[in-house]
Amino acid sequence: MDRQEALRILGLDRDASSEAIKIAYRETAQILHPDRFAGNKKLQERATEQFKNLQAAYDLLISGKGCASGVSSSSGKAGTSRSSGISRQEEELRARLAGIAAARVQLVEQRDSFFDRRRNAAAMMGIGALVAFFFRRFVWLAGVAGVAVVWGLIDVVSTTSNINSLTERLNALAKEKQQILSELEEIG
């Protein structure tokens, strides 16, 4: 992982200050922490994986290790000189927005993968039903097809539950984003 990728994971610009990096990390970590998905093992596993990536990106940006082509932790100084024109509160709000944006991207990716899985499960149900209907004279084949239908149905229900959970989280993030944007308007 290089600096650009680490900044992308946190949803920050190239000239982000170290303070903005810390704020974006905290915001994203709160949103993606695996404990928030304790009720759903699949989502918790994905959140754990994304949380590890988030931690690696933060460590790289804070330590300055792994920076290539002369870009070092001095870029934090450039960010602070740039941010001297804006208030600390505004910088914090912008960093929180960046954290929300990064978390949203990851949650949307998770939701999209569950949409794909649900589509595949529905296809398995349909094919299983057709095989069971057309080959009902072959009891063993109809039985296998029936199992595929039940398995597909269970997978459709569980993925729909996961999709709904992720959609709720995305809606909560959208509300938080609107709140932060209104606070930024009040400042500006």
Side-chain angles (χ1 to χ4, degrees), residues 51-69:
F51 194 76
K52 288 177 184 176
N53 288 340
L54 179 68
Q55 183 65 44
Y58 176 74
D59 290 343
L60 180 123
L61 291 171
I62 292 301
S63 70
K65 294 179 182 173
C67 297
S69 67

Side-chain angles (χ1 to χ4, degrees), residues 21-96:
I21 291 169
K22 289 176 186 176
I23 293 168
Y25 169 75
R26 278 191 300 248
E27 185 72 25
T28 309
Q30 287 178 356
I31 294 167
L32 292 177
H33 198 279
D35 291 346
R36 295 193 85 156
F37 300 98
N40 190 323
K41 186 171 177 83
K42 291 176 187 173
L43 289 178
Q44 190 174 30
E45 288 172 1
R46 285 183 175 250
T48 300
E49 179 182 313
Q50 290 176 342
F51 194 76
K52 288 177 184 176
N53 288 340
L54 179 68
Q55 183 65 44
Y58 176 74
D59 290 343
L60 180 123
L61 291 171
I62 292 301
S63 70
K65 294 179 182 173
C67 297
S69 67
V71 178
S72 65
S73 60
S74 66
S75 64
K77 294 175 188 168
T80 55
S81 66
R82 179 188 69 88
S83 65
S84 63
I86 60 174
S87 71
R88 178 165 167 73
Q89 181 184 13
E90 185 177 354
E91 183 178 3
E92 183 177 318
L93 290 173
R94 290 190 187 282
R96 286 179 60 199

